[in-house]
Amino acid sequence: MKRLVRRRQQRGSILALAMIMIMAFMAASAFCIDVAYMQLVQTEIRSATDAATRAGAVELSIGSSEAEARDRVHAIANANTVAGDPFQLSDADIVFGTAGPDPDNPNGRYVFKPSSSNINSLRVNGRRTADSPGGGVGLFLSSRLYKTSPFEPQKFASAVIEDRDIVVVIDRSGSMNAEDAGYLPDELSKAYGPDADDDDDDDGKGKGKGKGKGKGKNGNNGKKKKNEFDDNGNGKLRRIEALKIAALEFLKVVNETPAAEQIGLASYSTNAQIESELSRDYAEFTDRVTYIQETGMTNITAGIDVALTMLQDPRFRRASASPVMIVMTDGRENRGRGASKAARDAMDALPGLTIHTVTLGGGASKKTMMEVSEFGKGIHLRAADVGKLIETFEEMARSAGVVLIE
């Protein structure tokens, strides 16, 4: 009898112990599942915040307004899901400001500061807190079993538009005198057409604006056949004139972007030379580009080499800026060791360099310039006439990258 009672007591103890172990196992399982879910939500919120921040900075980099950049941040955030729902931000979660090297450590990380002027960056506060548009995140088991508070993850991300040191490398070889670059777009007729204001007193010297008047290289005492004018009275442009206009329009777009760009100018024909050093003051660039004369052979190699020396010059280069070359040609290289080899040498000599290329007209060596841009980790764009050339240079001006700094 005693043995029977003892066995029943043992069975009861084992059952109680089993229940306790099952409950402990369920609690541990709930904890593990919820911890894993919390990690997933944190990863989602980090990815969504980074993507939205980068998108907003890219929108700023192309000259868009703060309102447009904010709308872009919202759109990209909503395209991502966090805890199964579209990620929502409030306007207060998006802050615009300036970012630059830490004054106490110029070679260290960038520091973001909220600002309403000189905006070149933004910060996004990605959150799923109780007072956020999406609210807190309910956990799978803990909230149900133990009535715990919702999980409230929060992540910050900041992005800055990269400052660039840009050297524009233009072709001034004899082929740039060809009068086949098309006509001025209507919207630029007033600025660069025959009635544009000028300092040359109609003496035909001009500033490379394609006026087609006075005595000069267009011949016929500056007069052209009737069918060589468009409806606005603009003559068909020489390639060098088209390039000058595109370069000046490039500067206008650069001025509209929030990045702090230094611009320099190099030119090449048989040999290459520096026209204007890297500077935030574009007056010398403007002056030099308008007076460049076309002559000689095509030595793209020399142009790349000179641009490299400009980007390496410690008097002008900035450690915090990304070095960029924009190399343009209208022909095929007939001097130098080879543009592709020059591009490889430049990339080896200057880490972080980007080389973009532009070809004008059908006679340019597209294959060579595509190789240069490929080695230079840049883009190659082709322009058939002045309108496309202007669009190409404007695209280059808006191609500033963005960097996440937080």
Side-chain angles (χ1 to χ4, degrees), residues 61 71 83 147 200 202 210 214 236 241 248 273 308 310 328 340 351 366 381 392 395:
S61 74
D71 289 343
K147 308 299 180 182
D200 61 2
D202 297 339
K236 204 169 187 179
E241 295 169 337
L248 295 174
Q273 64 188 41
L308 177 63
M310 295 171 66
M328 175 272 164
S340 298
K366 180 180 177 181
L381 296 174
T392 295
E395 182 174 342

Side-chain angles (χ1 to χ4, degrees), residues 259-399:
E261 314 281 40
Q262 283 196 145
I263 310 294
L265 179 66
S267 69
Y268 68 89
S269 57
T270 306
N271 299 300
Q273 64 188 41
I274 297 172
E275 300 289 349
S276 65
E277 296 283 6
L278 287 168
S279 175
R280 290 290 310 281
D281 183 351
Y282 307 146
E284 185 178 6
F285 181 106
T286 301
D287 183 66
R288 295 296 300 171
V289 77
T290 53
Y291 283 108
I292 285 177
Q293 297 296 316
E294 67 286 355
T295 184
M297 309 300 284
T298 303
N299 191 344
I300 304 171
T301 295
I304 294 174
D305 289 344
V306 166
L308 177 63
T309 63
M310 295 171 66
L311 290 169
Q312 291 178 314
D313 193 327
R315 297 174 299 166
F316 305 107
R317 66 167 298 188
R318 297 173 296 174
S320 61
S322 298
V324 177
M325 285 186 207
I326 301 176
V327 185
M328 175 272 164
T329 189
D330 76 325
R332 298 178 182 275
E333 187 171 42
N334 47 36
R335 290 290 187 276
R337 68 186 184 282
S340 298
K341 188 176 189 310
R344 288 195 297 268
D345 293 343
M347 295 298 292
D348 291 339
L350 186 57
L353 173 63
T354 301
I355 306 176
H356 303 304
T357 58
V358 180
T359 52
L360 173 62
S365 180
K366 180 180 177 181
K367 180 181 178 181
T368 298
M369 298 308 278
M370 288 182 68
E371 289 178 351
V372 170
S373 62
E374 183 178 348
F375 289 134
K377 299 180 180 179
I379 58 176
H380 168 75
L381 296 174
R382 179 181 177 276
D385 55 30
V386 62
K388 291 296 183 182
L389 187 63
I390 291 170
E391 291 178 9
T392 295
F393 270 86
E394 288 179 345
E395 182 174 342
M396 297 290 186
R398 294 189 177 98
S399 64

